Amino acid sequence: MLSDPQTSPSATPVPDEEIEAAVDQVAADAQDDIHPLFHGAPQSTEFRKLRKRIVRQTREAIEQYGMVERGARWLVCLSGGKDSYTLLAVLHELQWRGLLPVDLLACNLDQGQPGFPATVLPEFLQKMGVPHRVEYQDTYSIVVDKIPQGRTFCALCSRLRRGNLYRVAREEGCSAVVLGHHRDDILETFFMNLFHGGRLATMPPKLLNEEGDLFVYRPLAHVAEVDCEKFARAMNYPIIPCDLCGSQDGLQRQQVKQILDQWETNAPGRRQVMFRALMNARPSHLLDPKLFDFAGLTRRDQNDSGEQIDVAPPQLR
């Protein structure tokens, strides 16, 4: 007589964690075919968790900030750094899963920097079968000519780069320029504005350009820099360093990064706590009268009948 599998002592229930791990393994084995960008992806549990976390956080940002216009076309900016490679890969995974119903066009702006390996990105994108456009504009010469020796290039370089990317986006019929800035970029920018600009501001995850015809998206807004680093290195993408700005000493951003690194070392998780603060602003507990009507604030009082009434603050004469 066969024993009932539900009552047999040998039929031990499989824990939910093991089932989930098995499903993840099957999915991971199949995901190599998602896109050539993922061919050769490590099969370790650590990498699968990393990949899942980045995809989840990117999807959260896209949904939370309303980035998707069905049928739109995005210009995905690719510099050759770890962040832009991560951005390109995760957007293609979301597209493959049916969670990102937009057309993706990768774009690299070759700014004419001496020694820049101009063939690396075109060959990589061609090999991966990624639709792309490589645009050459010698902004390097302009920056070097306009910025005095010893001053940083970042501000002017960024403006020139952004202007060219807007132009390319319009020429290609794109509605959005998509950048690879991550959580740590956003935090560093906040502290740079706080320390040096005297304002509470940072890179928003979604921005409308001054002309009002293009969105700027940052889908990696919730993703940690260290995760981008681990992902791009594990995938062995051909990372190109920025020798124009990155080679200059004394940059304000590097100073802020060092401060944040020290805080994170002293109190692990501090970066994420500070990032959550950017999503939890309380205008009534700041000092900007343009955000909160302090002058019009009223208190509650009682009249002679015991009824609650609003009492306006006295006006200065």
Side-chain angles (χ1 to χ4, degrees):
M1 179 177 178
L2 295 174
S3 60
D4 186 346
Q6 296 183 350
T7 59
S8 172
S10 61
T12 305
V14 178
D16 291 342
E17 310 87 72
E18 293 186 18
I19 294 176
E20 183 177 353
V23 172
D24 285 347
Q25 181 61 59
V26 172
D29 293 340
Q31 281 176 358
D32 209 35
D33 294 328
I34 285 179
H35 193 278
L37 283 166
F38 290 96
H39 288 180
Q43 297 300 316
S44 67
T45 300
E46 181 181 3
F47 180 81
R48 292 202 303 273
K49 289 181 178 179
L50 170 67
R51 177 174 172 175
K52 182 186 293 186
R53 180 168 62 250
I54 293 175
V55 171
R56 183 188 72 249
Q57 291 172 339
T58 303
R59 183 185 179 190
E60 286 173 354
I62 289 173
E63 292 182 351
Q64 183 171 359
Y65 300 107
M67 297 182 188
V68 173
E69 293 178 287
R70 186 172 292 274
R73 195 178 200 206
W74 288 7
L75 189 75
V76 182
C77 301
L78 190 67
S79 66
K82 63 185 186 309
D83 310 324
S84 60
Y85 278 122
T86 301
L87 174 69
L88 184 69
V90 73
L91 291 182
H92 275 86
E93 174 154 352
L94 287 170
Q95 185 187 59
W96 179 86
R97 293 181 180 278
L99 300 173
L100 188 61
V102 302
D103 185 31
L104 302 175
L105 176 68
C107 177
N108 170 249
L109 178 64
D110 182 344
Q111 297 178 262
Q113 295 171 225
F116 181 77
T119 62
V120 170
L121 282 172
E123 290 177 357
F124 172 81
L125 294 169
Q126 185 71 30
K127 178 181 178 181
M128 295 295 122
V130 174
H132 64 278
R133 172 171 170 175
V134 175
E135 180 76 5
Y136 178 81
Q137 290 292 329
D138 184 9
T139 62
Y140 174 83
S141 297
I142 299 175
V143 171
V144 172
D145 179 62
K146 298 294 184 183
I147 302 299
Q149 187 175 6
R151 300 288 298 275
T152 59
F153 298 146
C154 296
L156 179 58
C157 178
S158 177
R159 287 200 300 271
L160 293 173
R161 181 171 62 249
R162 188 68 57 87
N164 278 290
L165 291 173
Y166 285 170
R167 173 182 56 80
V168 172
R170 295 183 183 108
E171 292 174 357
E172 295 291 345
C174 297
S175 61
V177 172
V178 186
L179 306 175
H181 295 127
H182 44 65
R183 181 200 68 179
D184 297 78
D185 288 326
I186 291 173
L187 266 180
E188 290 161 14
T189 301
F190 172 79
F191 280 103
M192 287 173 64
N193 281 316
L194 178 67
F195 295 156
H196 304 288
R199 59 182 179 272
L200 297 181
T202 189
M203 299 172 172
K206 180 179 181 179
L207 175 72
L208 187 64
N209 70 338
E210 292 182 359
E211 294 78 7
D213 65 332
L214 290 170
F215 283 117
V216 177
Y217 294 150
R218 296 181 173 94
L220 299 184
H222 294 177
V223 179
E225 180 178 17
V226 65
D227 282 351
C228 293
E229 173 80 23
K230 290 178 181 177
F231 180 86
R233 295 291 183 188
M235 291 303 305
N236 200 31
Y237 292 142
I239 296 173
I240 303 172
C242 177
D243 293 326
L244 176 61
C245 301
S247 61
Q248 293 180 284
D249 295 329
L251 289 177
Q252 293 174 353
R253 184 171 293 274
Q254 291 300 321
Q255 295 171 355
V256 169
K257 184 186 288 288
Q258 290 172 7
I259 293 172
L260 294 178
D261 285 343
Q262 187 61 53
W263 285 349
E264 186 72 19
T265 299
N266 294 339
R270 180 66 58 85
R271 268 191 169 94
Q272 187 58 25
V273 172
M274 291 187 292
F275 182 76
R276 286 205 305 270
L278 296 179
M279 305 169 66
N280 190 26
R282 302 183 67 182
S284 63
H285 286 58
L286 296 173
L287 283 77
D288 191 343
K290 297 188 294 297
L291 295 180
F292 187 81
D293 185 13
F294 294 98
L297 196 63
T298 60
R299 59 183 176 82
R300 305 292 289 179
D301 206 348
Q302 290 184 346
N303 61 16
D304 294 338
S305 303
E307 296 174 335
Q308 292 284 342
I309 59 174
D310 290 336
V311 180
Q315 299 297 318
L316 295 176
R317 299 181 183 277

